[in-house]
């Protein structure tokens, strides 16, 4: 996956939130998260009051990265689905469009089969949203109105002079 900064537009963000809510409802899941491969949380749906979402996002990305290493060791590109079974809760992790990580936390009110079935449909919808985001970014770049970082004009010399004083 190329390392590019992701720009999130309001319209697509709301679409993502809608897809996550529908997925949570259809699977009877406790929580649904969308995380980028760098461990940044993009969106969620569910009750997160007692959950450290920053740690969850980081550990999920680390888990996926470690599993990617295992996959390469045996000649696979990647494992697109990971599943962890606990005494009370289970975690289903899947890669969507080689870009983002979809995490579903569910208990006995749901089943792995139902989660896998609904994740397949939601993954296609999410991939469509991310493709539209990339198309928008490309159109903006072509029109010359692309996003420019507010730090783009800061040079290495500026940083060196800041810390040498």
């Amino acid at each position: 996956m190329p390392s590019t900064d992701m720009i999130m537009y309001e319209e697509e963000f709301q679409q993502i939130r809608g897809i996550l809510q529908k997925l949570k409802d259809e699977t009877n899941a406790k929580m649904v998260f969308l995380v980028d491969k760098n461990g940044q949380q993009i969106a969620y749906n569910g009750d997160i009051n007692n959950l450290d979402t920053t740690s969850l996002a980081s550990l999920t990305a680390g888990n996926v990265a470690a599993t990617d290493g295992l996959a390469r060791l045996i000649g696979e590109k990647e494992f697109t689905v990971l599943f962890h079974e606990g005494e009370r809760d289970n975690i289903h992790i899947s890669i969507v469009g080689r870009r983002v990580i979809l995490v579903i936390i569910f208990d006995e009110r749901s089943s792995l089969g139902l989660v896998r079935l609904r994740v397949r449909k939601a993954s296609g919808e999410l991939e469509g949203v991310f493709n539209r985001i990339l198309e928008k970014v490309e159109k903006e770049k072509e029109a010359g109105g692309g996003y420019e970082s507010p730090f783009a004009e800061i040079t290495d010399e500026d940083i060196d002079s800041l810390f040498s004083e």
Side-chain angles (χ1 to χ4, degrees), residues 98-161:
R98 302 183 63 125
R99 292 186 185 99
V100 294
I101 304 165
L102 180 61
V103 182
I104 301 172
I105 300 174
F106 63 98
D107 58 17
E108 75 281 349
R109 293 175 297 155
S110 189
S111 70
L112 178 58
L114 177 63
V115 169
R116 290 186 72 162
L117 179 69
R118 299 299 186 199
V119 161
R120 193 172 301 141
K121 182 180 178 196
S123 293
E125 293 172 359
L126 288 168
E127 197 168 342
V129 171
F130 283 101
N131 286 337
R132 287 192 294 278
I133 291 171
L134 290 176
E135 288 172 11
K136 276 187 174 181
V137 169
E138 288 303 315
K139 283 182 183 175
E140 286 185 5
K141 281 182 183 176
E142 289 173 8
Y147 172 78
E148 185 173 328
S149 168
F151 307 110
E153 62 189 40
I154 299 174
T155 65
D156 289 340
E157 290 78 27
D158 292 336
I159 295 171
D160 288 342
S161 69

Side-chain angles (χ1 to χ4, degrees), residues 8-157:
M8 185 62 65
Y9 299 93
E10 181 66 24
E11 179 183 354
E12 284 76 14
F13 179 69
Q14 294 306 325
Q15 291 172 355
I16 289 169
R17 290 185 65 193
I19 293 167
L20 296 185
Q21 180 171 358
K22 183 177 167 188
L23 179 61
K24 179 190 163 292
D25 293 344
E26 289 181 348
T27 58
N28 290 324
K30 296 171 84 174
M31 294 167 254
V32 178
F33 290 87
L34 195 62
V35 177
D36 74 10
K37 284 194 164 183
N38 294 322
Q40 297 293 315
Q41 179 182 306
I42 298 171
Y44 72 91
N45 189 277
D47 181 17
I48 60 164
N49 286 335
N50 296 321
L51 186 65
D52 179 355
T53 57
T54 303
S55 294
L56 176 76
S58 298
L59 291 170
T60 298
N63 190 355
V64 168
T67 305
D68 281 352
L70 288 172
R72 281 192 293 276
L73 281 175
I74 63 167
E76 291 287 330
K77 257 192 234 177
E78 67 181 359
F79 293 123
T80 57
V81 175
L82 308 173
F83 176 68
H84 301 283
E85 184 174 359
E87 288 184 26
R88 291 176 299 129
D89 295 327
N90 308 302
I91 299 177
H92 183 277
I93 301 170
S94 58
I95 311 298
V96 177
R98 302 183 63 125
R99 292 186 185 99
V100 294
I101 304 165
L102 180 61
V103 182
I104 301 172
I105 300 174
F106 63 98
D107 58 17
E108 75 281 349
R109 293 175 297 155
S110 189
S111 70
L112 178 58
L114 177 63
V115 169
R116 290 186 72 162
L117 179 69
R118 299 299 186 199
V119 161
R120 193 172 301 141
K121 182 180 178 196
S123 293
E125 293 172 359
L126 288 168
E127 197 168 342
V129 171
F130 283 101
N131 286 337
R132 287 192 294 278
I133 291 171
L134 290 176
E135 288 172 11
K136 276 187 174 181
V137 169
E138 288 303 315
K139 283 182 183 175
E140 286 185 5
K141 281 182 183 176
E142 289 173 8
Y147 172 78
E148 185 173 328
S149 168
F151 307 110
E153 62 189 40
I154 299 174
T155 65
D156 289 340
E157 290 78 27

